[in-house]
Amino acid sequence: FLRGKCFYGKKKYEAGIASFQKSLKNKKEDGADVKPFVYLGLCNDQLGKTAEAITAYETALKYAPTTCEAHLELARIYLRQVQFQKARFHLEQATKTLAYKRDDYYKEYLNEVYETDLEALRSRLLH
């Protein structure tokens, strides 16, 4: 997993995907932390593999519905796809779960979510 994070940080998304998949294989999907799924989504989205990104984010949410990052990234994808109802739903969920994220000191991401990220997306949805 940590190797995958390094690849993500260096924008080596294919290598990151391979590392995250290996991490998930070693831990079994239902016993894994949700972070590899979020990073799989991020890497796939950067590579233009939107369907794979959506699947990864949805899997993260299946195991941890309060994963703010997954909701935010889904909102961004659905906004790009002009699926405003889905984008609004996931933005609302990201907003609700941001407080949970702030209370969980064990969650740390290279692409941290801030209230300003949510506000910027909210502004784009309103226009």
Side-chain angles (χ1 to χ4, degrees), residues 38 53-54 56-58 60-62 64-79 86-98 100 107 109 113 118 121 125:
V38 173
I54 290 171
Y57 296 134
E58 288 176 346
L61 293 171
K62 172 182 166 185
T66 58
T67 306
C68 178
E69 295 80 5
H71 282 298
L72 176 61
E73 296 305 326
L74 283 170
R76 288 177 173 158
I77 287 172
Y78 290 130
L79 178 60
K86 287 183 178 183
R88 281 187 203 97
F89 171 78
H90 284 289
L91 177 59
E92 180 181 309
Q93 294 304 308
T95 301
K96 287 179 182 177
T97 58
L98 183 64
Y100 170 81
K107 288 188 177 182
Y109 291 86
V113 176
L118 301 174
L121 189 56
L125 265 169

Side-chain angles (χ1 to χ4, degrees), residues 15-40:
I17 289 169
S19 291
F20 296 128
Q21 288 173 335
K22 192 173 199 178
S23 173
L24 290 169
K25 182 180 177 185
N26 289 339
K27 292 186 178 186
K28 306 285 187 243
E29 180 178 305
D30 60 351
D33 185 10
V34 298
K35 288 186 243 180
F37 294 113
V38 173
Y39 280 107
L40 270 174

Side-chain angles (χ1 to χ4, degrees), residues 1 5 35 39 101 104-110 112:
F1 172 74
K5 277 179 65 173
K35 288 186 243 180
Y39 280 107
K101 168 131 178 72
D104 188 348
Y105 299 107
Y106 296 103
K107 288 188 177 182
E108 179 182 337
Y109 291 86
L110 291 175
E112 189 63 58

